[in-house]
Amino acid sequence: MFKKDFLKNKVITATLFIFIFLSSLLVASGTNMITEMTNSLNALFTKSQVPHFVQMHSGKVDYSHIDAFATENNLVKDHQVVEMIQIDDGNITFGNVKASETNSIMDHYFVKQNSSFDFLLNLNSERIHVSSGEIAVPIYFMQKENISLGDKVTISTTDFTKEFIVTDFVRDVQMNPSVIHSKRFVVNEADLNELKKNIGQIEYLLEFQLTDVNELNNFRNLYQSAELPNKGPTIDYPLFKALNAITDGIVSALIIFVSILLSIIALLCIRFTILAAIEEDYQEIGVMKAIGIDLQDIKKVYLLKYIVMAAGASVAGYMVSLLVNHLFTFNIMLYMGTAPKNLFLKLIPFLAVVLIFLFTVFFCMFILRRFNKISAVEALRLKDSNEKSKNVNYFPFNKNSFSNIHILLGIRDIRIRFRIYGLLFLVFLICSFIIIVPVNFLNTIQSPDFIKYLGVERSDIRIDIQQSDTSDNFANIITNISNDPDVEKFAPLVTSQFKLVNNEGALENISIESGDFSIFSLEYVTGAAPTRQNEIAISYLNSEEYEKSVGDSLKLFIDGQEEEMVISGVYQDVTNGGRTAKALIPPNKDNVLSYKIGVDFKANVSIPGKIAEYSNTFYPAKVTNLKGYVNETFGNTIKQVRTFTISAIIIAIFISILITSLFLKMLIAKDYSQLAIMRSIGFSLKHIRIQYVTRTLGVLIIGIILGTFVSNALGQRVASVVLSFMGASEIKFVIDPIKAYFICPFILILTVSLTTILSIGSIKNFSITNIGA
């Protein structure tokens, strides 16, 4: 019976098989990405012996003071001070290309291999060892600058030149992600000493491993109250995990989300085909019930087909996922490496596929409960289930208001039989969702407007000045900008550290940006920018950590005096660990971290030209436009989301073709008699095509309109949940109306129109003489 049914409904069975197959493939690949990422990240942390607490510091270091603190503190398992030489990108050449030519926002640090922990690994996840004249380059620059083994990296000034040969690439547990604007190059100890004497600024990483990572908050409070070096941001173990997982975590979440949508489509199709089969076999079911066949046995006849099909599709999807997993996990393997997985981790993708299979089977069993409502007497008396209600409440149209009667008939059919078109409507809505959400998300993260989620005000360009470049350089740049006739407005901002009283009553450091926040606006989740001296705006993660909201107060030490600051607003920030603040207070001159200036130019001023001019005039300050800033920060994420978006569009088009052809095949079979009569009384194939194209496009347009609305509402919520752990809790899509409201709908309309025309070609052979044959 299964074989006969398959041969009779090959297209329908094949379509359902494909949907369950794709759903199983994606859910297996998505869960495998998550397990691979988790396992590889844990292995990377283990092999590199990641520190639990790191304090970056620019300034002098008292080694004995640090050693004494670590020795006396029973929370400390091990500690080390890592010396780094920061070299400006204008002094670095990759091959024949100066790093400064790319207007990079990255800081270039040169280090030697660590001796105790925080080991820098190569692509084989082994500790890097370089000889004199050799260098290991971060993976970020390997990809960005297309660097290969054997290439040259040259460090030069007017009176010093040092050439290195690339012999390895660096997996850096601290600075792997592009969202971290610092990158470490590994050189030999003798070469590092030579660089230290001739070029660059010395900065430090004060690193600690703890006996118990759960005591991290207590240790942070102890460190920050001990008057130890703190001129720079702090990064800790949980943040290392979050930042390393962001790119692949977003992509795997998107893949699993699409697989769930495909599963929903598969279930909708199964419901449609089961109900159609019940209607077609209505009398046969009645006969089987009348002769005493048990209802459960009748259900098993129909259920067997879907069990076999779902099992076959699930197994096929899982097997194919094993072949294509390397495509999904390439970025994970590159940045984190591979690690052996235990049996449980290997079983997770398989169990996810089993869950898809079981859910499909249970759904079929739920739909087959319709058998309970079939009466043997009625089934034998009536030809099908629809004959119980022949009187249709036709919706009256004024035919004179329509210039084309065939369009009228198409619209009328949708209104009369909207329940039948419900499947098509839901599928088109989901297809719109599958296309529009990734397109809008991609457009958002590569838009200059995404800068607002980095805690940065929107301006034409941004000038970053390191603390080591001194306040004199900052003042000179401000003077030059204020005298530039091309400048419309500008806002200098200074980030410095202050002491804050946390919820436990202990002192801890907080990075606060000082300046005028009325010149360039920043979008706030709640509240607004500070406008008074006693007001402070804090980032979302700070708001969560301190359990504070707008109107609450924070105790801050300013010039040695405790001041109570009222929270005026909460904003989103995914940089610097997402823990920042903004206030109108004077900067702490003894602990300045960085300077920045936002600049807007007058109309018709060439921004690329001004970037080139300012880069040369204000060297070594970093000058970037905001689009470049976003691309460097999220470049790898943007690349992967773009690939996923293209794949999602292809999948949605494929779904639209399959479902439209499947639906029309079943609808034409249902309307055979009506179509044969229409052909006999003179309706041309062209007229019937117009009717069917009107039906499918009418349903499609409704699906696109609602799909767009749902995408903008639910899609933004999904994106906010994905990025909330990084500090962006309320994502608003930056929508390109041409792409979202014209190109994407046009692709679906064109696809559905062509599929409809091709699917109804068999109507030309319909004849009234074949009715009932």
Side-chain angles (χ1 to χ4, degrees):
M1 290 179 70
F2 174 77
K3 181 179 178 182
K4 183 180 178 182
D5 183 80
F6 174 76
L7 293 174
K8 181 182 177 182
N9 301 299
K10 287 182 286 188
V11 175
I12 296 172
T13 305
T15 301
L16 293 175
F17 182 92
I18 289 171
F19 278 122
I20 298 174
F21 165 78
L22 286 174
S23 180
S24 301
L25 169 63
L26 290 177
V27 77
S29 299
T31 51
N32 180 70
M33 273 191 75
I34 293 175
T35 58
E36 196 72 56
M37 178 179 66
T38 304
N39 193 49
S40 296
L41 188 57
N42 288 336
L44 176 65
F45 276 37
T46 300
K47 291 180 180 178
S48 63
Q49 295 186 32
V50 62
H52 297 137
F53 179 87
V54 177
Q55 170 72 61
M56 293 190 73
H57 177 69
S58 176
K60 294 182 179 180
V61 169
D62 184 344
Y63 286 85
S64 60
H65 189 189
I66 297 169
D67 291 340
F69 168 80
T71 303
E72 295 168 4
N73 194 316
N74 56 11
L75 295 178
V76 177
K77 175 184 176 183
D78 200 356
H79 78 286
Q80 65 184 9
V81 177
V82 177
E83 192 176 73
M84 306 187 297
I85 310 299
Q86 183 191 10
I87 299 179
D88 190 81
D89 52 13
N91 301 119
I92 304 172
T93 303
F94 299 116
N96 296 315
V97 179
K98 273 195 174 294
S100 59
E101 293 178 12
T102 62
N103 289 319
S104 175
I105 61 171
M106 297 296 168
D107 293 323
H108 306 71
Y109 291 102
F110 288 72
V111 300
K112 65 180 181 179
Q113 179 64 275
N114 295 317
S115 57
S116 301
F117 56 95
D118 184 26
F119 299 115
L120 299 160
L121 309 179
N122 60 21
L123 296 185
N124 295 321
S125 294
E126 300 166 340
R127 297 179 193 176
I128 290 175
H129 297 285
V130 290
S131 302
S132 181
E134 296 177 347
I135 190 171
V137 175
I139 294 174
Y140 174 86
F141 288 109
M142 179 192 80
Q143 288 189 306
K144 186 174 183 287
E145 306 294 342
N146 294 316
I147 298 174
S148 304
L149 295 177
D151 287 353
K152 294 180 180 179
V153 175
T154 305
I155 312 298
S156 61
T157 62
T158 53
D159 53 3
F160 172 77
T161 299
K162 181 70 177 178
E163 193 173 86
F164 296 93
I165 301 296
V166 178
T167 58
D168 244 325
F169 298 104
V170 182
R171 282 196 182 118
D172 187 342
V173 71
Q174 287 195 49
M175 302 180 182
N176 253 348
S178 58
V179 73
I180 300 293
H181 293 167
S182 303
K183 297 289 174 274
R184 289 191 285 186
F185 296 75
V186 183
V187 295
N188 183 270
E189 184 174 1
D191 291 333
L192 185 68
N193 291 331
E194 185 180 359
L195 291 175
K196 184 165 58 174
K197 293 176 183 177
N198 292 279
I199 191 173
Q201 302 285 338
I202 300 177
E203 294 190 22
Y204 300 92
L205 295 177
L206 283 66
E207 302 181 343
F208 297 86
Q209 282 191 325
L210 308 183
T211 54
D212 183 359
V213 72
N214 295 318
E215 295 292 330
L216 184 58
N217 285 336
N218 291 334
F219 175 79
R220 184 189 293 109
N221 292 337
L222 290 171
Y223 181 91
Q224 294 182 348
S225 61
E227 300 300 326
L228 289 166
N230 58 15
K231 258 190 176 179
T234 59
I235 309 176
D236 54 31
Y237 184 83
L239 191 59
F240 288 142
K241 280 203 165 184
L243 295 177
N244 275 284
I246 178 172
T247 295
D248 297 292
I250 289 174
V251 174
S252 58
L254 289 173
I255 289 173
I256 292 174
F257 186 65
V258 169
S259 73
I260 292 171
L261 294 179
L262 287 177
S263 298
I264 293 173
I265 292 176
L267 296 177
L268 290 172
C269 292
I270 287 172
R271 179 183 181 276
F272 183 78
T273 53
I274 289 177
L275 295 180
I278 291 174
E279 183 178 327
E280 185 179 342
D281 300 339
Y282 199 67
Q283 285 187 319
E284 287 82 350
I285 294 169
V287 170
M288 287 189 284
K289 293 188 75 172
I291 63 176
I293 299 178
D294 185 71
L295 184 60
Q296 294 302 318
D297 291 331
I298 299 174
K299 288 182 181 179
K300 286 178 183 177
V301 171
Y302 287 85
L303 186 60
L304 175 64
K305 167 187 173 180
Y306 297 101
I307 290 177
V308 173
M309 179 186 61
S314 298
V315 170
Y318 177 73
M319 296 303 292
V320 172
S321 75
L322 298 178
L323 301 176
V324 301
N325 275 338
H326 67 281
L327 299 176
F328 292 95
T329 59
F330 172 79
N331 195 68
I332 296 173
M333 302 304 178
L334 179 61
Y335 277 86
M336 301 181 197
T338 59
K341 291 192 288 188
N342 58 40
L343 181 61
F344 176 71
L345 290 178
K346 291 179 180 178
L347 282 177
I348 288 178
F350 176 76
L351 293 175
V353 172
V354 170
L355 191 63
I356 294 288
F357 166 73
L358 292 176
F359 195 74
T360 303
V361 172
F362 286 132
F363 184 79
C364 292
M365 294 171 65
F366 177 79
I367 297 300
L368 286 172
R369 293 194 309 171
R370 292 289 184 98
F371 279 52
N372 300 337
K373 299 179 181 180
I374 297 176
S375 164
V377 175
E378 278 193 348
L380 292 171
R381 182 172 62 85
L382 302 175
K383 183 177 179 180
D384 59 54
S385 60
N386 287 331
E387 289 188 25
K388 289 186 285 184
S389 54
K390 281 291 185 181
N391 295 325
V392 180
N393 182 25
Y394 292 102
F395 181 82
F397 281 97
N398 179 6
K399 67 180 180 180
N400 294 323
S401 64
F402 287 87
S403 58
N404 192 318
I405 190 65
H406 306 293
I407 294 177
L408 167 65
L409 290 172
I411 296 173
R412 175 177 174 273
D413 191 68
I414 295 173
R415 188 59 184 258
I416 293 171
R417 302 192 293 181
F418 190 76
R419 288 188 65 183
I420 292 178
Y421 290 97
L423 167 69
L424 205 58
F425 163 72
L426 289 173
V427 169
F428 288 155
L429 188 152
I430 293 172
C431 286
S432 300
F433 192 90
I434 290 174
I435 291 178
I436 293 173
V437 170
V439 166
N440 285 345
F441 185 64
L442 174 63
N443 196 60
T444 299
I445 63 174
Q446 64 185 5
S447 165
D449 285 336
F450 194 70
I451 201 77
K452 63 189 177 186
Y453 303 115
L454 307 183
V456 178
E457 292 78 7
R458 177 73 188 270
S459 58
D460 287 340
I461 67 168
R462 169 188 168 114
I463 303 172
D464 287 280
I465 306 144
Q466 294 301 310
Q467 181 272 340
S468 56
D469 293 333
T470 75
S471 58
D472 292 337
N473 191 20
F474 182 56
N476 290 335
I477 292 175
I478 292 174
T479 302
N480 275 275
I481 292 175
S482 61
N483 293 328
D484 188 343
D486 292 333
V487 173
E488 179 71 30
K489 58 183 179 180
F490 70 98
L493 301 169
V494 181
T495 301
S496 55
Q497 278 194 343
F498 290 83
K499 291 292 183 181
L500 172 81
V501 180
N502 63 21
N503 294 344
E504 288 77 34
L507 293 179
E508 68 174 65
N509 295 327
I510 183 172
S511 298
I512 299 180
E513 196 171 61
S514 304
D516 187 347
F517 303 104
S518 64
I519 299 174
F520 296 107
S521 61
L522 179 69
E523 191 169 312
Y524 284 75
V525 178
T526 56
T531 56
R532 298 183 179 89
Q533 286 280 339
N534 69 328
E535 290 183 340
I536 186 171
I538 59 176
S539 63
Y540 171 75
L541 286 185
N542 269 337
S543 172
E544 292 290 297
E545 182 176 334
Y546 299 138
E547 299 176 350
K548 301 287 185 179
S549 57
V550 174
D552 293 339
S553 62
L554 288 173
K555 291 181 180 179
L556 201 68
F557 278 87
I558 303 173
D559 294 330
Q561 299 294 318
E562 184 178 304
E563 303 284 348
E564 189 169 282
M565 306 290 289
V566 178
I567 297 173
S568 66
V570 176
Y571 60 91
Q572 302 173 94
D573 188 359
V574 298
T575 61
N576 296 316
R579 294 175 172 88
T580 56
K582 299 174 186 288
L584 298 179
I585 58 178
N588 181 2
K589 294 181 181 179
D590 295 330
N591 207 341
V592 173
L593 302 180
S594 63
Y595 306 90
K596 76 174 183 183
I597 306 171
V599 182
D600 262 3
F601 296 104
K602 295 177 180 177
N604 302 321
V605 173
S606 171
I607 293 177
K610 297 302 291 187
I611 290 175
E613 176 190 332
Y614 280 9
S615 296
N616 182 58
T617 305
F618 301 149
Y619 177 83
K622 297 179 184 294
V623 184
T624 54
N625 63 4
L626 295 192
K627 185 174 182 180
Y629 186 90
V630 171
N631 284 339
E632 279 211 68
T633 303
F634 286 96
N636 200 23
T637 304
I638 290 171
K639 182 180 178 181
Q640 291 209 50
V641 172
R642 184 182 292 116
T643 301
F644 173 81
T645 301
I646 294 171
S647 302
I649 292 172
I650 293 171
I651 289 173
I653 291 172
F654 182 64
I655 291 170
S656 300
I657 293 172
L658 277 179
I659 294 299
T660 302
S661 58
L662 166 67
F663 180 83
L664 289 175
K665 181 180 183 299
M666 299 180 73
L667 191 63
I668 289 170
K670 187 180 183 69
D671 295 345
Y672 184 91
S673 300
Q674 179 185 340
L675 291 169
I677 293 171
M678 291 173 66
R679 291 284 288 157
S680 301
I681 63 176
F683 279 80
S684 68
L685 182 60
K686 176 184 175 182
H687 296 151
I688 296 173
R689 277 178 179 164
I690 292 173
Q691 291 185 35
Y692 275 89
V693 170
T694 300
R695 295 177 191 180
T696 53
L697 289 187
V699 176
L700 174 63
I701 290 169
I702 298 172
I704 288 175
I705 292 172
L706 287 179
T708 301
F709 176 78
V710 172
S711 299
N712 292 340
L714 181 59
Q716 289 182 159
R717 193 64 234 149
V718 171
S720 298
V721 170
V722 170
L723 290 177
S724 62
F725 74 97
M726 282 193 62
S729 63
E730 194 174 307
I731 297 292
K732 291 183 180 178
F733 283 152
V734 177
I735 298 172
D736 183 339
I738 300 297
K739 291 178 183 176
Y741 303 140
F742 179 75
I743 295 177
C744 292
F746 177 76
I747 290 172
L748 281 177
I749 289 170
L750 182 63
T751 300
V752 170
S753 299
L754 292 175
T755 304
T756 302
I757 292 170
L758 294 173
S759 298
I760 62 177
S762 61
I763 294 176
K764 63 184 177 182
N765 300 320
F766 285 15
S767 171
I768 197 170
T769 58
N770 295 328
I771 298 178

